[in-house]
Amino acid sequence: MFESWTRRSSVGAVFVALLASATLVLADEKIIPTEQYNTEKARALAKTYEGHLRHLSDTIPHCYPWVAIQKAGLGFRKPKGSANDDRYLSVWVWVEQYYTPEFAATPRDGRASAMFQRYGLDLLKRLASHSGLLADPSVKGFAVVLSWQKPVASLPPGAQPLGETLAVFMEKEKVQKLFKRQISPAEFVKASFVNTFEGKQELGTIPLSLHHNSQVQHLVSPDPPDASAQC
């Protein structure tokens, strides 16, 4: 996962903590402060693309009112344990919405696939919408982290609410090829690093199933971005 993810996930991935704080994060708190980066490369990226980060912090919640960027959830992170200072432009969001009965009855990998198909791909397009960033060799790729409440119907009777989290790391070149349809969704997923959590517990990788013309979006919110808001 991301650098320092284990420490943060003990708070951030727990449903109660996320639900209580999701709508309270101020605009300036969504972006990782420059002084919190521990390398000059990361600080330089944060300064260079400050405008893009602020644009993302404004437009994502505006276009998806039920999606909240987590505190310090937007910035340039590196995978945990990486020997190199590889930086991924990343966003971590909490998705709060009503779920269909079909979503609750879907296995974990199906729920994760539906959430990534519904939200992850669009967030990925937004992260990769800066031409200068795409051409910048200092940026290794992109990462999308989605957290949501595990459907109550999927929990044992009497169990406390839990958050489910999916994190997907993607190299920049593979992202560009996906959106140009030069590689299939299956090839894209195979080339990505995927990790999942349930509450505090790291579950590891799961198989994601993505399609260019998906039929899984109806499992979650059917509402598209607000066209009148120029999203």
Side-chain angles (χ1 to χ4, degrees):
M1 288 298 295
F2 295 136
E3 180 184 28
S4 302
W5 170 265
T6 302
R7 174 175 58 81
R8 293 180 62 227
S9 67
S10 64
V11 177
V14 180
F15 164 68
V16 175
L18 281 170
L19 185 59
S21 63
T23 59
L24 301 178
V25 179
L26 300 177
D28 289 343
E29 295 179 326
K30 298 173 188 175
I31 300 173
I32 301 172
T34 304
E35 61 271 16
Q36 287 189 11
Y37 290 107
N38 57 9
T39 69
E40 184 56 38
K41 176 181 179 179
R43 288 189 288 270
L45 286 172
K47 292 177 182 178
T48 300
Y49 299 107
E50 179 182 3
H52 186 48
L53 292 172
R54 291 193 176 279
H55 175 73
L56 293 169
S57 74
D58 291 338
T59 57
I60 289 173
H62 177 64
C63 294
Y64 292 103
W66 51 90
V67 170
I69 300 175
Q70 295 304 298
K71 185 174 182 179
L74 184 58
F76 291 91
R77 297 190 178 274
K78 67 176 182 178
K80 181 182 176 182
S82 174
N84 301 316
D85 192 20
D86 292 331
R87 294 289 166 170
Y88 290 71
L89 176 56
S90 62
V91 64
W92 177 24
V93 302
W94 171 260
V95 180
E96 183 180 357
Q97 62 177 40
Y98 295 103
Y99 302 118
T100 65
E102 291 81 4
F103 183 80
T106 301
R108 178 184 291 111
D109 58 337
R111 292 196 298 270
S113 296
M115 294 297 279
F116 191 77
Q117 187 88 49
R118 180 66 181 89
Y119 299 107
L121 290 177
D122 188 70
L123 290 172
L124 183 57
K125 285 182 180 179
R126 294 174 187 275
L127 294 178
S129 63
H130 193 290
S131 59
L133 188 150
L134 288 172
D136 191 334
S138 298
V139 180
K140 181 73 171 179
F142 304 96
V144 172
V145 183
L146 304 171
S147 294
W148 62 91
Q149 181 187 1
K150 184 174 182 177
V152 175
S154 301
L155 294 169
Q160 293 296 314
L162 280 174
E164 295 184 308
T165 297
L166 169 71
V168 184
F169 286 80
M170 301 138 281
E171 291 188 0
K172 190 168 53 179
E173 292 75 13
K174 295 294 191 301
V175 171
Q176 292 175 284
K177 287 183 178 181
L178 175 70
F179 292 131
K180 293 177 180 178
R181 299 202 173 197
Q182 294 175 348
I183 60 173
S184 69
E187 291 173 313
F188 172 74
V189 170
K190 186 176 181 180
S192 302
F193 174 78
V194 179
N195 204 1
T196 57
F197 288 79
E198 183 173 281
K200 299 179 182 180
Q201 182 181 4
E202 183 174 358
L203 302 179
T205 189
I206 60 170
L208 290 181
S209 179
L210 305 180
H211 307 277
H212 278 309
N213 298 308
S214 173
Q215 299 299 316
V216 301
Q217 293 190 20
H218 73 281
L219 296 175
V220 288
S221 171
D223 299 325
D226 184 356
S228 65
Q230 297 183 344
C231 293

